[in-house]
Amino acid sequence: MHIRIAADVDEQALTDLRSWLGRDPGTRLLSVEPVSGAGPTLSVLEALDITFGHAVDVANFALAYTTWRSTRAGRTAGNGARTLTYGDTTVDISHLTAKELTELIRSLGGQAASGYADNDPDEGRRLS
């Protein structure tokens, strides 16, 4: 399953999120690819494309994302990395709990998000 997290005019938020996901034990092995676009002088980071290989990856991402977001809560500058896109669906995820975000991503992916976990021994536990 593949989702996109948009910059929402806050490129630094995406840079921070990418770094956070790379350090988190449950998400450091996720495929997180930057999406760049043309800016006024150089290319700018517009989004992160995130690919999940297993259903447990979705839960690990949701927990890492909500934890990262809570560390930024006191900052007044920027609200970036709060828009999730899957196919033609775009959702503001800035208010969702880890459980709600997990359920949202799994429901957006339908069978793709739940079907590949049927025989996944890691389902329901955080990888380290």
mmCIF file of all heavy atoms in Angstrom, residues 17 20 59-72 93-102:
data_model
loop_
_atom_site.group_PDB
_atom_site.id
_atom_site.type_symbol
_atom_site.label_atom_id
_atom_site.label_comp_id
_atom_site.label_asym_id
_atom_site.label_seq_id
_atom_site.Cartn_x
_atom_site.Cartn_y
_atom_site.Cartn_z
ATOM 1 N N LEU A 17 9.773 14.968 9.614
ATOM 2 C CA LEU A 17 9.033 13.711 9.650
ATOM 3 C C LEU A 17 9.851 12.587 9.023
ATOM 4 O O LEU A 17 9.924 11.483 9.583
ATOM 5 C CB LEU A 17 7.681 13.848 8.941
ATOM 6 C CG LEU A 17 6.846 12.573 8.861
ATOM 7 C CD1 LEU A 17 6.547 12.005 10.244
ATOM 8 C CD2 LEU A 17 5.551 12.843 8.094
ATOM 9 N N TRP A 20 12.442 11.582 11.464
ATOM 10 C CA TRP A 20 11.801 10.879 12.592
ATOM 11 C C TRP A 20 11.490 9.431 12.222
ATOM 12 O O TRP A 20 11.787 8.507 12.988
ATOM 13 C CB TRP A 20 10.532 11.628 12.979
ATOM 14 C CG TRP A 20 9.840 11.083 14.187
ATOM 15 C CD1 TRP A 20 8.985 10.014 14.233
ATOM 16 C CD2 TRP A 20 9.938 11.566 15.525
ATOM 17 N NE1 TRP A 20 8.541 9.819 15.514
ATOM 18 C CE2 TRP A 20 9.110 10.754 16.331
ATOM 19 C CE3 TRP A 20 10.621 12.621 16.118
ATOM 20 C CZ2 TRP A 20 8.960 10.962 17.693
ATOM 21 C CZ3 TRP A 20 10.478 12.823 17.482
ATOM 22 C CH2 TRP A 20 9.657 11.999 18.248
ATOM 23 N N ALA A 59 0.266 0.382 11.406
ATOM 24 C CA ALA A 59 0.139 0.731 12.822
ATOM 25 C C ALA A 59 1.409 1.394 13.346
ATOM 26 O O ALA A 59 1.346 2.371 14.097
ATOM 27 C CB ALA A 59 -0.185 -0.510 13.641
ATOM 28 N N ASN A 60 2.556 0.889 12.937
ATOM 29 C CA ASN A 60 3.818 1.489 13.365
ATOM 30 C C ASN A 60 3.949 2.911 12.834
ATOM 31 O O ASN A 60 4.394 3.810 13.556
ATOM 32 C CB ASN A 60 5.003 0.650 12.906
ATOM 33 C CG ASN A 60 5.157 -0.623 13.711
ATOM 34 O OD1 ASN A 60 4.561 -0.785 14.764
ATOM 35 N ND2 ASN A 60 5.958 -1.532 13.201
ATOM 36 N N PHE A 61 3.562 3.133 11.577
ATOM 37 C CA PHE A 61 3.603 4.478 11.012
ATOM 38 C C PHE A 61 2.654 5.407 11.767
ATOM 39 O O PHE A 61 3.022 6.535 12.108
ATOM 40 C CB PHE A 61 3.233 4.471 9.519
ATOM 41 C CG PHE A 61 2.961 5.850 9.003
ATOM 42 C CD1 PHE A 61 4.002 6.723 8.727
ATOM 43 C CD2 PHE A 61 1.662 6.300 8.842
ATOM 44 C CE1 PHE A 61 3.755 8.024 8.289
ATOM 45 C CE2 PHE A 61 1.397 7.587 8.403
ATOM 46 C CZ PHE A 61 2.453 8.451 8.123
ATOM 47 N N ALA A 62 1.446 4.947 12.015
ATOM 48 C CA ALA A 62 0.450 5.786 12.703
ATOM 49 C C ALA A 62 0.949 6.196 14.082
ATOM 50 O O ALA A 62 0.824 7.363 14.475
ATOM 51 C CB ALA A 62 -0.882 5.048 12.815
ATOM 52 N N LEU A 63 1.547 5.275 14.814
ATOM 53 C CA LEU A 63 2.083 5.590 16.136
ATOM 54 C C LEU A 63 3.261 6.562 16.032
ATOM 55 O O LEU A 63 3.328 7.554 16.762
ATOM 56 C CB LEU A 63 2.507 4.315 16.860
ATOM 57 C CG LEU A 63 3.038 4.506 18.276
ATOM 58 C CD1 LEU A 63 2.003 5.191 19.167
ATOM 59 C CD2 LEU A 63 3.442 3.156 18.865
ATOM 60 N N ALA A 64 4.171 6.316 15.091
ATOM 61 C CA ALA A 64 5.318 7.210 14.916
ATOM 62 C C ALA A 64 4.866 8.600 14.471
ATOM 63 O O ALA A 64 5.368 9.610 14.964
ATOM 64 C CB ALA A 64 6.297 6.622 13.899
ATOM 65 N N TYR A 65 3.903 8.657 13.552
ATOM 66 C CA TYR A 65 3.416 9.955 13.057
ATOM 67 C C TYR A 65 2.761 10.755 14.187
ATOM 68 O O TYR A 65 3.050 11.936 14.356
ATOM 69 C CB TYR A 65 2.416 9.764 11.912
ATOM 70 C CG TYR A 65 1.794 11.071 11.492
ATOM 71 C CD1 TYR A 65 2.440 11.913 10.602
ATOM 72 C CD2 TYR A 65 0.566 11.477 12.017
ATOM 73 C CE1 TYR A 65 1.884 13.141 10.242
ATOM 74 C CE2 TYR A 65 0.010 12.696 11.673
ATOM 75 C CZ TYR A 65 0.668 13.518 10.772
ATOM 76 O OH TYR A 65 0.115 14.732 10.439
ATOM 77 N N THR A 66 1.880 10.128 14.961
ATOM 78 C CA THR A 66 1.191 10.874 16.021
ATOM 79 C C THR A 66 2.159 11.289 17.127
ATOM 80 O O THR A 66 1.999 12.360 17.718
ATOM 81 C CB THR A 66 -0.004 10.088 16.601
ATOM 82 O OG1 THR A 66 0.436 8.812 17.058
ATOM 83 C CG2 THR A 66 -1.095 9.909 15.554
ATOM 84 N N THR A 67 3.168 10.477 17.392
ATOM 85 C CA THR A 67 4.184 10.860 18.373
ATOM 86 C C THR A 67 4.993 12.041 17.846
ATOM 87 O O THR A 67 5.233 13.015 18.565
ATOM 88 C CB THR A 67 5.106 9.669 18.695
ATOM 89 O OG1 THR A 67 4.313 8.579 19.162
ATOM 90 C CG2 THR A 67 6.139 10.038 19.743
ATOM 91 N N TRP A 68 5.406 11.976 16.584
ATOM 92 C CA TRP A 68 6.140 13.091 15.957
ATOM 93 C C TRP A 68 5.305 14.362 16.005
ATOM 94 O O TRP A 68 5.796 15.415 16.376
ATOM 95 C CB TRP A 68 6.488 12.733 14.511
ATOM 96 C CG TRP A 68 6.966 13.897 13.704
ATOM 97 C CD1 TRP A 68 8.227 14.424 13.695
ATOM 98 C CD2 TRP A 68 6.199 14.680 12.784
ATOM 99 N NE1 TRP A 68 8.277 15.495 12.832
ATOM 100 C CE2 TRP A 68 7.055 15.665 12.259
ATOM 101 C CE3 TRP A 68 4.873 14.639 12.356
ATOM 102 C CZ2 TRP A 68 6.629 16.609 11.324
ATOM 103 C CZ3 TRP A 68 4.444 15.570 11.433
ATOM 104 C CH2 TRP A 68 5.317 16.537 10.926
ATOM 105 N N ARG A 69 4.031 14.245 15.650
ATOM 106 C CA ARG A 69 3.141 15.412 15.626
ATOM 107 C C ARG A 69 3.033 16.031 17.023
ATOM 108 O O ARG A 69 3.039 17.247 17.172
ATOM 109 C CB ARG A 69 1.760 15.001 15.119
ATOM 110 C CG ARG A 69 0.817 16.167 14.895
ATOM 111 C CD ARG A 69 -0.555 15.686 14.485
ATOM 112 N NE ARG A 69 -1.151 14.933 15.586
ATOM 113 C CZ ARG A 69 -2.007 13.940 15.425
ATOM 114 N NH1 ARG A 69 -2.393 13.556 14.240
ATOM 115 N NH2 ARG A 69 -2.503 13.304 16.474
ATOM 116 N N SER A 70 2.972 15.196 18.057
ATOM 117 C CA SER A 70 2.849 15.721 19.416
ATOM 118 C C SER A 70 4.110 16.475 19.843
ATOM 119 O O SER A 70 4.026 17.415 20.632
ATOM 120 C CB SER A 70 2.520 14.614 20.413
ATOM 121 O OG SER A 70 3.630 13.772 20.602
ATOM 122 N N THR A 71 5.267 16.092 19.310
ATOM 123 C CA THR A 71 6.494 16.809 19.644
ATOM 124 C C THR A 71 6.526 18.185 18.988
ATOM 125 O O THR A 71 7.238 19.065 19.441
ATOM 126 C CB THR A 71 7.764 16.042 19.223
ATOM 127 O OG1 THR A 71 7.837 15.960 17.803
ATOM 128 C CG2 THR A 71 7.795 14.658 19.856
ATOM 129 N N ARG A 72 5.751 18.370 17.940
ATOM 130 C CA ARG A 72 5.693 19.654 17.234
ATOM 131 C C ARG A 72 4.544 20.526 17.722
ATOM 132 O O ARG A 72 4.421 21.670 17.300
ATOM 133 C CB ARG A 72 5.515 19.418 15.737
ATOM 134 C CG ARG A 72 6.678 18.705 15.091
ATOM 135 C CD ARG A 72 6.440 18.454 13.626
ATOM 136 N NE ARG A 72 6.080 19.634 12.872
ATOM 137 C CZ ARG A 72 6.932 20.513 12.345
ATOM 138 N NH1 ARG A 72 8.220 20.340 12.509
ATOM 139 N NH2 ARG A 72 6.496 21.562 11.659
ATOM 140 N N ILE A 93 -5.072 14.691 8.494
ATOM 141 C CA ILE A 93 -4.849 13.720 9.571
ATOM 142 C C ILE A 93 -4.278 14.371 10.826
ATOM 143 O O ILE A 93 -3.881 13.676 11.759
ATOM 144 C CB ILE A 93 -3.930 12.573 9.102
ATOM 145 C CG1 ILE A 93 -2.564 13.098 8.641
ATOM 146 C CG2 ILE A 93 -4.608 11.764 8.013
ATOM 147 C CD1 ILE A 93 -1.545 12.019 8.346
ATOM 148 N N SER A 94 -4.277 15.693 10.878
ATOM 149 C CA SER A 94 -3.619 16.408 11.970
ATOM 150 C C SER A 94 -4.300 16.239 13.328
ATOM 151 O O SER A 94 -3.697 16.536 14.349
ATOM 152 C CB SER A 94 -3.519 17.892 11.649
ATOM 153 O OG SER A 94 -4.809 18.465 11.534
ATOM 154 N N HIS A 95 -5.504 15.734 13.363
ATOM 155 C CA HIS A 95 -6.249 15.597 14.611
ATOM 156 C C HIS A 95 -6.488 14.143 15.016
ATOM 157 O O HIS A 95 -7.051 13.880 16.072
ATOM 158 C CB HIS A 95 -7.614 16.286 14.472
ATOM 159 C CG HIS A 95 -8.444 15.667 13.394
ATOM 160 N ND1 HIS A 95 -8.179 15.853 12.051
ATOM 161 C CD2 HIS A 95 -9.497 14.836 13.454
ATOM 162 C CE1 HIS A 95 -9.060 15.169 11.336
ATOM 163 N NE2 HIS A 95 -9.864 14.531 12.167
ATOM 164 N N LEU A 96 -6.048 13.207 14.209
ATOM 165 C CA LEU A 96 -6.345 11.795 14.451
ATOM 166 C C LEU A 96 -5.402 11.176 15.485
ATOM 167 O O LEU A 96 -4.218 11.493 15.532
ATOM 168 C CB LEU A 96 -6.243 10.994 13.158
ATOM 169 C CG LEU A 96 -7.198 11.397 12.036
ATOM 170 C CD1 LEU A 96 -6.947 10.539 10.801
ATOM 171 C CD2 LEU A 96 -8.641 11.299 12.486
ATOM 172 N N THR A 97 -5.942 10.266 16.287
ATOM 173 C CA THR A 97 -5.119 9.468 17.191
ATOM 174 C C THR A 97 -4.417 8.390 16.363
ATOM 175 O O THR A 97 -4.761 8.165 15.205
ATOM 176 C CB THR A 97 -5.979 8.780 18.265
ATOM 177 O OG1 THR A 97 -6.840 7.827 17.618
ATOM 178 C CG2 THR A 97 -6.788 9.786 19.078
ATOM 179 N N ALA A 98 -3.467 7.709 16.968
ATOM 180 C CA ALA A 98 -2.770 6.630 16.272
ATOM 181 C C ALA A 98 -3.760 5.547 15.823
ATOM 182 O O ALA A 98 -3.687 5.043 14.709
ATOM 183 C CB ALA A 98 -1.680 6.038 17.144
ATOM 184 N N LYS A 99 -4.705 5.214 16.692
ATOM 185 C CA LYS A 99 -5.693 4.186 16.352
ATOM 186 C C LYS A 99 -6.578 4.652 15.196
ATOM 187 O O LYS A 99 -6.835 3.889 14.254
ATOM 188 C CB LYS A 99 -6.553 3.853 17.571
ATOM 189 C CG LYS A 99 -7.570 2.767 17.302
ATOM 190 C CD LYS A 99 -8.372 2.423 18.532
ATOM 191 C CE LYS A 99 -9.384 1.337 18.191
ATOM 192 N NZ LYS A 99 -10.221 1.006 19.323
ATOM 193 N N GLU A 100 -7.036 5.890 15.247
ATOM 194 C CA GLU A 100 -7.884 6.420 14.175
ATOM 195 C C GLU A 100 -7.118 6.482 12.847
ATOM 196 O O GLU A 100 -7.678 6.165 11.793
ATOM 197 C CB GLU A 100 -8.398 7.820 14.531
ATOM 198 C CG GLU A 100 -9.381 7.831 15.672
ATOM 199 C CD GLU A 100 -9.664 9.224 16.208
ATOM 200 O OE1 GLU A 100 -8.809 10.125 16.080
ATOM 201 O OE2 GLU A 100 -10.763 9.405 16.776
ATOM 202 N N LEU A 101 -5.846 6.872 12.904
ATOM 203 C CA LEU A 101 -5.044 6.940 11.686
ATOM 204 C C LEU A 101 -4.817 5.552 11.105
ATOM 205 O O LEU A 101 -4.926 5.350 9.893
ATOM 206 C CB LEU A 101 -3.715 7.640 11.967
ATOM 207 C CG LEU A 101 -2.775 7.831 10.782
ATOM 208 C CD1 LEU A 101 -3.467 8.553 9.616
ATOM 209 C CD2 LEU A 101 -1.530 8.587 11.216
ATOM 210 N N THR A 102 -4.545 4.581 11.964
ATOM 211 C CA THR A 102 -4.389 3.196 11.506
ATOM 212 C C THR A 102 -5.661 2.723 10.816
ATOM 213 O O THR A 102 -5.621 2.159 9.717
ATOM 214 C CB THR A 102 -4.065 2.259 12.686
ATOM 215 O OG1 THR A 102 -2.835 2.674 13.281
ATOM 216 C CG2 THR A 102 -3.959 0.810 12.243
#
